[in-house]
Amino acid sequence: MAGQFLLESTTIGLLGGIVGAALGIAIVVCVAVVKQWTPVLDLGLAFGAPLAGALVGLLAGLYPSLRAARMEPVDALRAPS
């Protein structure tokens, strides 16, 4: 069960890294076009951002996933939120 939670948090982090990198690249290119500059991008950072997002998602989901895996589903539904 913990694996499912970890997969979800890692996937959300990966998607966030992809969206963030894409938006960052688009903004750099748009500003460069408007200012008539040559856009300079570090592709290592652009490709590393999704990996960093996935790592952050994995680490952020580690404790909650382990805690949720130890709970019984009925207890989780009864617990006040």
Side-chain angles (χ1 to χ4, degrees):
M1 192 70 171
Q4 179 183 357
F5 292 115
L6 283 176
L7 181 64
E8 285 180 15
S9 65
T10 304
T11 302
I12 290 171
L14 177 68
L15 292 175
I18 291 170
V19 170
L23 283 174
I25 290 169
I27 290 171
V28 166
V29 170
C30 288
V31 169
V33 167
V34 168
K35 299 274 189 175
Q36 296 179 347
W37 296 340
T38 302
V40 178
L41 301 167
D42 184 359
L43 293 180
L45 289 176
F47 289 119
L51 296 176
L55 180 63
V56 168
L58 176 70
L59 293 176
L62 191 60
Y63 175 71
S65 68
L66 292 175
R67 185 170 176 210
R70 287 182 291 197
M71 293 182 76
E72 290 294 324
V74 173
D75 294 336
L77 291 172
R78 286 186 199 154
S81 48

